[in-house]
């Protein structure tokens, strides 16, 4: 009799291509979760069980959490069902992890979504693997998602490798204080000159930015950040850098959220190229994360 697989990678149809890349890198079989939406909007999932109606003892769920709200319900249904079907060790690979920016109540009554969503995911999974989560006031992922195994990868170094090929003498600039961690990693890898701006946010699309002391005259500047959402942060930084004499401004981000007209806002501001990792599928993807994610998956799976 054939032995059942010891581990598998579960994915949803809209992430079929990245799931197969990750499964190959991790040495797992990729199995699709079927999803049906009822006319009233509710969801029904069907997990890919074997002939005995069971799943392997170890399973990995791939779900990148851009547009996260419905995906959180999918994870609830999938994880609880997987447990009932025999999964003992369950890993979430969320290349983009949502709700990490709301890490404090700025006004009385505001939800601290990082803690709420982090606690929710910790109740479902044994291990969480992600890339450049937006951790600002805390240092470690397990402080936000208290799971036994919390692994953080970074897009900063692979993006730095790409920048070294495309703009060998780049001046790396971070648009705000929070980007300093990624700027430091990326600059150290190839010895890039670097600096970080000061940003004050007044609203979703309203930011003020002050350039640091730097000589941008004639430089090929690359703005590097963990994510672009509305693109307003990077667009304003690009305008200021071009006004300060930069020869060009390109953009590199780990997470290509690019909500609404974000890309247009960047190009209107004078940005040339836009590069991102494939943590969120987007036309700007230029750096593949499957290999490091696959290695991380192998490191958390029980023997
Ligand atoms: C926050 O500090 C992040 O690192 C990004 O700078 C921010 O989320 C970008 O937002 P937006 O593209 O909407 O300006």
């Amino acid at each position: 009799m054939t032995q059942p697989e010891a581990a598998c990678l579960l994915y949803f149809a809209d992430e079929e291509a990245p799931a197969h890349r990750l499964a190959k890198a991790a040495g797992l079989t990729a199995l699709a979760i079927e999803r049906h939406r009822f006319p009233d909007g509710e969801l029904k999932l069907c997990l890919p069980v074997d002939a005995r109606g069971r799943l392997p003892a170890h399973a990995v769920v791939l779900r990148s959490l851009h547009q996260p709200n419905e995906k959180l319900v999918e994870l609830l249904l999938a994880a609880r069902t997987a447990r009932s079907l025999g999964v003992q060790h369950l890993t979430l690979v969320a290349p983009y992890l949502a709700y990490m920016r709301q890490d404090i109540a700025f006004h009385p009554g505001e939800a601290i979504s990082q803690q709420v969503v982090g606690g929710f995911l910790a109740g479902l999974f044994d291990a969480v693997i992600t890339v450049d989560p937006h951790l600002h006031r805390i240092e470690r992922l397990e402080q936000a998602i208290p799971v036994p195994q919390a692994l953080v990868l970074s897009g900063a170094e692979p993006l730095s490798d790409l920048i070294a090929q495309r703009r060998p003498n780049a001046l790396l600039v971070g648009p705000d204080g929070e980007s300093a961690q990624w700027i430091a990693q990326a600059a150290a890898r190839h010895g890039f000159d670097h600096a970080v701006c000061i940003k004050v946010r007044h609203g979703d699309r309203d930011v003020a930015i002050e350039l640091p002391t730097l000589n941008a005259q004639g430089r090929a500047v690359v703005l590097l950040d963990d994510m672009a959402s509305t693109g307003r942060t990077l667009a304003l930084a690009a305008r200021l850098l071009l006004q300060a004499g930069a020869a060009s401004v390109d953009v590199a981000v780990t997470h290509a959220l690019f909500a609404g007209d974000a890309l247009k806002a960047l190009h209107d501001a004078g940005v040339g190229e836009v590069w991102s990792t494939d943590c969120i599928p987007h036309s700007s993807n230029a750096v593949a994360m499957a290999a490091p994610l696959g290695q991380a998956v192998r490191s958390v799976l029980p023997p």
Side-chain angles (χ1 to χ4, degrees):
M1 190 176 147
T2 325
Q3 287 297 310
E5 298 257 9
C8 67
L9 175 78
L10 302 172
Y11 68 93
F12 291 83
D14 61 308
E15 289 185 299
E16 184 172 16
H20 282 281
R21 290 196 294 270
L22 177 58
K24 190 171 173 203
L28 297 175
T29 304
L31 303 171
I33 296 173
E34 281 177 34
R35 199 183 95 130
H36 173 75
R37 183 195 295 281
F38 291 104
D40 55 20
E42 291 181 10
L43 297 174
K44 179 179 73 174
L45 302 187
C46 185
L47 273 62
V49 290
D50 64 13
R52 301 171 304 140
R54 307 288 287 169
L55 285 170
H58 310 146
V60 177
V61 178
L62 172 67
R63 208 65 180 126
S64 204
L65 291 172
H66 49 292
Q67 302 292 328
N69 297 344
E70 193 163 279
K71 291 177 184 169
L72 293 175
V73 175
E74 291 172 350
L75 291 180
L76 173 66
L77 296 173
R80 294 259 186 259
T81 308
R83 299 284 189 192
S84 75
L85 296 170
V87 174
Q88 290 157 25
H89 185 276
L90 192 56
T91 299
L92 170 66
V93 176
Y96 174 66
L97 195 54
Y99 285 111
M100 291 296 110
R101 281 169 294 176
Q102 296 169 44
D103 62 353
I104 194 172
F106 292 96
H107 301 101
E110 266 182 13
I112 305 176
S113 308
Q114 184 189 76
Q115 286 176 8
V116 176
V117 173
F120 170 76
L121 294 175
L124 299 177
F125 295 95
D126 303 294
V128 173
I129 299 170
T130 190
V131 183
D132 290 336
H134 193 89
L135 305 181
H136 178 203
R137 273 164 273 263
I138 57 172
E139 286 177 3
R140 298 189 323 277
L141 180 60
E142 53 267 40
Q143 294 170 270
I145 308 181
V147 277
Q149 296 161 291
L151 257 72
V152 171
L153 309 183
S154 180
E157 292 195 346
L159 284 168
S160 175
D161 293 347
L162 180 87
I163 294 163
Q165 289 166 17
R166 308 280 178 94
R167 302 287 183 267
N169 299 311
L171 167 61
L172 285 193
V173 177
D176 54 28
E178 294 156 46
S179 65
Q181 54 188 303
W182 299 293
I183 288 288
Q185 280 179 56
R189 190 161 171 92
H190 290 284
F192 291 122
D193 294 339
H194 58 284
V196 171
C197 305
I198 297 167
K199 176 174 87 178
V200 178
R201 183 174 285 285
H202 300 296
D204 289 345
R205 290 162 198 274
D206 183 10
V207 294
I209 287 179
E210 192 184 310
L211 288 187
T213 309
L214 51 72
N215 184 1
Q217 192 66 42
R219 299 294 304 264
V221 174
V222 177
L223 281 165
L224 178 77
D225 204 359
D226 60 332
M227 68 181 81
S229 178
T230 67
R232 268 41 184 193
T233 297
L234 292 169
L236 179 55
R239 275 186 210 286
L240 295 173
L241 286 158
L242 289 166
Q243 282 165 15
S248 61
V249 178
D250 302 295
V251 157
V253 291
T254 301
H255 300 299
L257 287 166
F258 292 121
D261 65 352
L263 267 188
K264 182 176 180 303
L266 291 186
H267 293 306
D268 287 352
V271 167
E273 303 277 330
V274 178
W275 304 301
S276 64
T277 75
D278 61 359
C279 289
I280 296 174
H282 187 263
S283 57
S284 61
N285 290 171
V287 166
M289 293 301 293
L293 285 170
Q295 200 176 357
V297 166
R298 287 198 300 275
S299 78
V300 299
L301 285 179

